[in-house]
Amino acid sequence: MKRASLILTGIFLLAVIASGCIGGDEVRDTGTKGGYSSEQAELKKATLKIFHAGSLSEPLKDVSEAFREYAKTLGYDVEIQAEASGSVMAVRKVTDLGKKADIVALADYTLIPQLLVPNYTDFYVLFATNEIVIAFTDRSKYADEINSNNWYEILARDDVSFGFSDPNQDPCGYRSVMVMKLADIYYGKPIFETLVERNTNIYAEGNHIVAPKEIQIKTDKVVIRPKETDLTGLVESGSLDYYFIYKSVAMQHGLKFIELPKEINLKDFTLAEHYGQVSITLGSTGKTIKAEPIVYGATVLKDAPNKGLALEYLKFLLSERGRQIFEKNYQDFIWPPVGFGNIPEEIEDEVMVGG
């Protein structure tokens, strides 16, 4: 984990951020041009299984639709079975439940080197970023008052409800509680104790958070669900006032949101060391995770049932077309994507090798 963090801040930050590669304007020929003719031979049917973070649902839906058309030029009629969950749960499906998948795409890239390397994969690619916001609607209590300076006071009011996803299953969940602990440092107030410890059995020892294996809710003020997108409908219906969510998801659903200070929103790569003051131990895995800038990662598993086609899908995802789709879905793309480990030759032209 320490090595991965050093690689991220040393290679990724300097090589990618300093060169202006996130959201850059460079366009490359990805080899995804060409059309499908009805005169082609009959298409071979194939299936790809993808375990992915809930926050990737919208962009991956569009990527998959575009890839199905592209796959015809490769001679395939592809059925894509995309299964959304919290990223921790997505990994556990492979490691604990023995489920088969071709591709794993996660909201926290560090879960791949921590839990999937070397037994299940030997490479991974960093491809997107995000930030934590607090989303709501006009029906949320005090919607006309909440802002980036008073949000913790609004959430603490007795008649206000708020939610976040389960830290044991979903990075957005453990990032949300780490954001509230970082808020302690930034504002100099006991925000974590007020919002988290008084309402759940999640607790902190200094700047280290412990999420018990079985999360318990002490009051009806807080709602916790397996993945962050499970809370979207509750906010949209007015049954939940606020929730901690990725900015891209809030924008995809047309929700109002407040942006948090850069010192706590896990967006700014120059603040990696500052974020790293806070950590969390997950009861589900026993692993300790340090707060870092949000980076998404993807890999193709060693025993992928359709590995060749899975690599073509990953290549498409990492291409200029994939970047366009993600940005259309309000999610920042890392350009070029950064690969680590034994990078397959099929995607070598799409990534900057980071080590």
Side-chain angles (χ1 to χ4, degrees), residues 73-92:
T73 69
L74 305 176
Y76 286 94
D77 177 12
V78 184
E79 177 188 358
I80 298 174
Q81 299 175 354
E83 193 172 300
S85 67
S87 291
V88 177
M89 180 53 64
V91 170
R92 294 183 66 195

Side-chain angles (χ1 to χ4, degrees), residues 73-321:
T73 69
L74 305 176
Y76 286 94
D77 177 12
V78 184
E79 177 188 358
I80 298 174
Q81 299 175 354
E83 193 172 300
S85 67
S87 291
V88 177
M89 180 53 64
V91 170
R92 294 183 66 195
K93 288 175 185 177
V94 176
T95 60
D96 297 356
L97 302 180
K99 292 188 174 183
K100 295 293 183 181
D102 296 285
I103 298 167
V104 175
L106 307 176
D108 184 352
Y109 87 94
T110 67
L111 296 173
I112 302 177
Q114 270 200 348
L115 302 174
L116 292 177
V117 175
N119 294 333
Y120 302 94
T121 189
D122 57 5
F123 83 97
Y124 53 98
V125 179
L126 285 53
F127 67 94
T129 67
N130 224 317
E131 67 181 277
I132 299 293
V133 300
I134 298 174
F136 59 101
T137 71
D138 286 329
R139 287 183 287 182
S140 301
K141 295 182 182 69
Y142 311 109
D144 59 341
E145 292 184 34
I146 194 167
N147 58 50
S148 297
N149 297 316
N150 69 3
W151 60 271
Y152 54 91
E153 296 173 348
I154 299 295
L155 296 189
R157 291 180 180 176
D158 291 339
D159 57 342
V160 172
S161 63
F162 69 94
F164 52 88
S165 54
D166 185 350
N168 281 312
Q169 300 189 51
D170 186 34
C172 193
Y174 58 71
R175 284 167 171 158
S176 296
V177 296
M178 287 196 288
V179 159
M180 286 182 267
K181 174 50 71 174
L182 283 167
D184 280 5
I185 300 171
Y186 181 72
Y187 296 101
K189 297 180 179 180
I191 294 168
F192 183 89
E193 177 188 351
T194 301
L195 298 181
V196 179
E197 291 184 330
R198 291 181 185 176
N199 297 299
T200 76
N201 64 339
I202 301 170
Y203 64 95
E205 298 172 338
N207 288 334
H208 179 69
I209 303 165
V210 177
K213 188 172 183 179
E214 299 296 331
I215 302 296
Q216 298 174 2
I217 299 174
K218 300 177 182 178
T219 71
D220 59 3
K221 181 179 183 61
V222 170
V223 175
I224 298 177
R225 291 290 185 268
K227 62 180 184 294
E228 75 282 354
T229 50
D230 293 337
L231 294 162
T232 303
L234 298 179
V235 173
E236 290 176 328
S237 68
S239 58
L240 183 67
D241 292 312
Y242 301 91
Y243 76 133
F244 289 83
I245 188 63
Y246 295 119
K247 181 178 179 180
S248 64
V249 176
M251 296 183 73
Q252 288 160 12
H253 289 269
L255 295 170
K256 290 189 171 184
F257 60 89
I258 60 165
E259 292 185 310
L260 300 170
K262 64 181 181 179
E263 289 82 2
I264 68 177
N265 67 8
L266 302 180
K267 169 70 173 178
D268 194 330
F269 282 88
T270 66
L271 293 173
E273 185 175 349
H274 170 75
Y275 298 150
Q277 297 177 83
V278 172
S279 60
I280 186 170
T281 296
L282 306 181
S284 59
T285 65
K287 298 289 186 180
T288 296
I289 297 172
K290 183 183 291 187
E292 292 187 352
I294 296 169
V295 180
Y296 288 66
T299 189
V300 172
L301 299 176
K302 287 181 177 180
D303 63 351
N306 204 332
K307 192 169 185 177
L309 196 58
L311 286 168
E312 288 291 343
Y313 183 99
L314 184 57
K315 178 181 179 181
F316 187 88
L317 167 64
L318 301 175
S319 72
E320 169 67 17
R321 182 74 178 110

Side-chain angles (χ1 to χ4, degrees), residues 36 38-45 75-77:
Y36 169 64
S38 61
E39 297 177 356
Q40 282 184 281
E42 184 177 350
L43 298 176
K44 181 179 179 180
K45 291 189 178 296
Y76 286 94
D77 177 12

